[in-house]
């Protein structure tokens, strides 16, 4: 049996706070076998070969910093990379083929970005020998007889030209913050015709003169994608591409990626938007394991079948169950709860802001109601949220004699000195009495003593959403709560939102671009129409299907449910199904 020992060195507070209690309770150590050693950082290290898997140190550690994992089944994939002793390790890598798009799905902290970094040449495989620097010939030899042998031969001989879009879009600001969008694109595009096409298709004419550091998250994501895809390459690696992008932008990028594939290039795509993966990928790999401990790449699977296996929690070829529950996106909890009185209403609303205007004849959000918001970027969704939250002035009538709890679209914890527990207590000092179960479900229970400045994007998003929802309020406003969350985290967050609203007879406004989750979480949806950057028109909340049809008709896109997994899939423009749905005026099935 393979045994893995993990010590989270950020959680570990030895020796100041515990005096090495893990060492003192270990029965192997008591028998004078030196299973524990002290590292250079004065924190303990475990010799895995000597560990008997009793779990006493795990239970006694006051900081939940130790994991001992007994692998009943040895991973069929070889160990490819390990960061250090008692740290995360990765088994296997994806398969890349010419003129193909490979999708990678799995939880956060499971090794997807590590694999992409290895494919980009940023990290080199060490095969678990973390103290050894392997040269390129040794690496190629280790993969002898596999498809990866040829890949690394081509990578190290420069036959493969890699372009890599990292997960963290804000790193682009550090590298090119003072340059304008125009300067960035001009350095990559020599033809005026091509430049005009890119500007027109991606609708970036209004930001060409802006500096990179002045862009919003969505604009930054779009320009970083163009920067990566326009560089000379034959392999494009894209890590979490859809965060901050609306569905129109996602469809344009999807069409552009298909063009790149047709030219003979290969694409590897990590994303949590299942409809985006479902639309683009030829095959997918599921990455499973234990978060922050180990990750294993599955064999390649057909896209629809792979998504279905991921949602079911059982990978057939590996004969392994990766989750004890089926993920259902077609059944909402608390669907029979009747809507009550108006919590907030508005009439003849008008907002003027930096040349942009927002208009609404009227509407309301009722008790027990979750209203989703769908629309293009730059159409006024966040502006509307700020009006209801009391952060912007307006003309017209807004009736909201209620307490409001608000999570903005963008936030920055980098300069904060609070830990997670202190941050939540600012919203609800007694949160532990009522919400302990949700702390565990959302993965926050082990982070309470962590500095919020050290959290990942997904952890920070979960923390802010949780804090806003445990605050005592009547109306909860959540602007892009699913960004940076993996699929399971999105489902858990959606369930938490519905629990809070339905059990406590409250109301919520949820803005997001993930149609799958927006459909799942919302009772009704508001469609924002107009012209991005200039004018937004707020329509009243209507039934989900009607709102999505209105939205997709405006952007001239049709979507259908995949027969195998039920996930929405974007129809190819001018395809038979696209034309058929448009004739029937059914843009969203």
């Amino acid at each position: 049996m393979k045994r893995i020992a993990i010590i989270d060195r950020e959680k570990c507070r030895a020796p100041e706070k515990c005096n090495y209690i893990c060492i003192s309770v270990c029965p192997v150590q008591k028998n004078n076998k030196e299973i524990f050693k002290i590292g250079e950082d004065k924190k303990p290290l475990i010799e895995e070969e000597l560990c008997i898997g009793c779990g006493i140190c795990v239970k006694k550690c006051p900081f939940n910093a130790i994991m001992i994992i007994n692998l009943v089944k040895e991973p069929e994939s070889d160990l490819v990379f390990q960061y250090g002793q008692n740290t995360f390790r990765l088994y296997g890598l994806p398969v890349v083929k010419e003129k193909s798009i490979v999708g990678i799905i799995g939880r956060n902290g499971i090794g997807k970005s590590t694999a992409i970094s290895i494919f980009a040449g940023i990290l080199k495989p060490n095969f678990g020998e973390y103290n050894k620097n392997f040269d390129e010939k040794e690496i190629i030899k280790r993969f002898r007889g596999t498809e990866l042998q040829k890949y690394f031969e081509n990578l190290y001989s420069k036959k493969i030209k890699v372009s890599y879009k990292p997960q963290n879009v804000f790193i682009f600001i550090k590298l090119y913050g003072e340059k304008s969008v125009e300067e960035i694109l001009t350095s990559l595009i020599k033809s005026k015709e091509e430049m005009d096409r890119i500007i027109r298709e991606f609708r970036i004419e209004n930001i060409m003169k802006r500096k990179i550091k002045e862009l919003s998250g969505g604009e930054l994501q779009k320009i970083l994608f163009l920067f990566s895809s326009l560089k000379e390459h034959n392999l494009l690696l894209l890590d979490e591409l859809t965060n901050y992008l609306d569905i129109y932008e996602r469809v344009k990028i999807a069409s552009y990626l298909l063009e790149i594939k047709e030219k003979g290039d290969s694409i590897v795509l990590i994303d949590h938007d299942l409809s985006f993966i479902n639309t683009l990928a030829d095959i997918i790999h599921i990455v499973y394991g234990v978060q922050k401990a180990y990750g294993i790449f599955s064999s390649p699977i057909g896209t629809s079948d792979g998504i279905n296996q991921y949602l079911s929690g059982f990978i057939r070829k590996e004969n392994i169950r990766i989750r004890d529950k089926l993920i259902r996106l077609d059944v909402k909890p608390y669907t029979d709860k009747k809507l009550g009185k108006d919590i907030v209403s508005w009439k003849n609303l008008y907002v003027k802001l930096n040349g942009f205007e927002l208009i609404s004849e009227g509407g309301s959000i009722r008790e027990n109601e979750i209203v989703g918001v769908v629309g293009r970027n730059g159409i006024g969704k966040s502006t509307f949220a700020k009006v209801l939250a009391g952060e912007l002035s307006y003309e017209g009538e807004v009736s909201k004699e209620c307490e409001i709890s608000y999570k903005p679209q963008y936030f920055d914890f980098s300069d904060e000195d609070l830990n997670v527990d202190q941050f939540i207590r600012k919203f609800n000092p007694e949160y532990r009495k009522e919400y302990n179960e949700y702390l565990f479900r959302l993965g926050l229970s082990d982070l309470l003593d962590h500095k919020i400045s050290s959290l990942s994007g997904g952890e920070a998003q979960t923390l802010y959403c949780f804090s806003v929802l445990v605050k005592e309020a009547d109306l909860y406003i959540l602007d892009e709560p699913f960004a940076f969350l993996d699929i399971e985290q999105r489902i858990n967050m959606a369930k938490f939102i519905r629990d809070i609203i339905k059990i406590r007879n409250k109301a919520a406004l949820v803005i997001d671009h993930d149609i799958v989750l927006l459909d799942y979480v919302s009772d009704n949806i508001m469609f924002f129409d107009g012209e991005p950057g200039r004018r937004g028109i707020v329509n009243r909340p209507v039934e989900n299907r009607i709102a999505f049809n209105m939205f997709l008709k405006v952007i001239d896109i049709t979507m259908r449910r995949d027969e195998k997994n039920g996930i929405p899939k974007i129809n190819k423009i001018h395809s038979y199904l696209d034309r058929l749905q448009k004739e029937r005026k059914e843009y969203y099935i």
Side-chain angles (χ1 to χ4, degrees), residues 387-413:
V387 167
L388 294 189
E391 295 193 358
L392 285 178
S393 57
Y394 58 88
E395 296 176 23
E397 301 175 27
V398 177
S399 174
K400 53 167 186 173
E401 293 182 6
C402 60
E403 185 70 25
I404 291 174
S405 188
Y406 169 55
K407 185 205 82 76
Q409 179 183 20
Y410 303 120
F411 55 88
D412 184 7
F413 286 160

Side-chain angles (χ1 to χ4, degrees), residues 163-167 169 221 224-225 228 237-241:
S163 183
Y164 168 53
K165 188 211 83 69
Q167 182 186 110
V169 296
Q221 184 76 275
L224 181 51
F225 165 72
S228 304
L237 306 174
L238 302 168
D239 196 348
E240 292 199 26
L241 181 55

Side-chain angles (χ1 to χ4, degrees), residues 63 185 368 438 535:
F63 313 112
L185 295 183
N368 299 324
Y438 292 107
R535 190 167 184 256

Side-chain angles (χ1 to χ4, degrees), residues 305-317:
D305 194 29
I307 290 175
N308 204 35
Q309 290 184 44
Y310 182 75
L311 294 176
S312 71
F314 181 74
I315 304 175
R316 289 197 298 270
K317 191 171 182 181

Side-chain angles (χ1 to χ4, degrees), residues 337-557:
K337 196 93 173 182
K338 291 184 179 179
L339 305 183
K341 64 182 180 181
D342 287 354
I343 291 285
V344 62
S345 61
W346 56 92
K347 186 178 179 182
N348 299 324
L349 182 67
Y350 181 80
V351 180
K352 185 79 172 179
L353 185 68
N354 299 327
F356 175 81
E357 58 179 6
L358 185 68
I359 304 163
S360 177
E361 291 182 359
S364 66
I365 303 173
R366 294 164 289 177
E367 193 177 76
N368 299 324
E369 184 177 28
I370 300 171
V371 174
V373 175
V374 66
R376 296 284 317 275
N377 276 332
I379 208 76
K381 303 185 301 298
S382 295
T383 298
F384 181 74
K386 288 176 183 177
V387 167
L388 294 189
E391 295 193 358
L392 285 178
S393 57
Y394 58 88
E395 296 176 23
E397 301 175 27
V398 177
S399 174
K400 53 167 186 173
E401 293 182 6
C402 60
E403 185 70 25
I404 291 174
S405 188
Y406 169 55
K407 185 205 82 76
Q409 179 183 20
Y410 303 120
F411 55 88
D412 184 7
F413 286 160
S414 59
D415 295 326
E416 294 280 354
D417 194 41
L418 297 173
N419 65 25
V420 169
D421 176 66
Q422 291 167 334
F423 183 82
I424 302 173
R425 287 185 186 280
K426 288 169 60 180
F427 294 81
N428 183 344
E430 305 296 321
Y431 76 94
R432 295 295 294 272
K433 292 181 180 179
E434 192 174 350
Y435 300 104
N436 255 338
E437 180 186 348
Y438 292 107
L439 276 174
F440 176 76
R441 279 195 207 169
L442 295 172
L444 292 173
S445 55
D446 288 341
L447 299 175
L448 294 177
D449 60 347
H450 284 214
K451 292 289 185 183
I452 63 175
S453 57
S454 71
L455 300 181
S456 69
E459 290 168 342
Q461 185 75 265
T462 302
L463 169 62
Y464 212 137
C465 290
F466 176 84
S467 302
V468 163
L469 287 163
V470 300
K471 181 180 177 181
E472 188 59 42
D474 303 295
L475 175 65
Y476 297 86
I477 300 173
L478 301 164
D479 198 343
E480 298 202 26
F482 304 126
F484 299 106
L485 302 187
D486 65 40
I487 299 157
E488 291 172 74
Q489 290 170 332
R490 290 181 185 199
I491 295 290
N492 287 332
M493 182 58 70
K495 287 179 179 177
F496 183 44
I497 293 169
R498 288 192 71 84
D499 283 359
I500 291 292
I501 303 310
K502 303 298 180 176
I503 293 173
R504 294 163 58 183
N505 299 323
K506 304 299 183 179
L509 184 77
V510 179
I511 302 168
D512 210 84
H513 297 303
D514 187 328
I515 281 188
V516 177
L517 268 297
L518 202 60
D519 195 4
Y520 177 81
V521 78
S522 306
D523 299 304
N524 292 297
I525 287 179
M526 294 166 61
F527 162 52
F528 278 51
D529 199 359
E531 185 181 354
R534 296 190 177 179
R535 190 167 184 256
I537 301 169
V538 185
N539 292 286
R540 293 174 182 271
V542 294
E543 182 188 335
N544 294 12
R545 182 181 58 83
I546 295 171
F548 285 136
N549 263 295
M550 293 166 65
F551 174 46
L552 294 175
K553 183 178 180 180
V554 167
I555 61 177
D556 198 33
I557 291 165

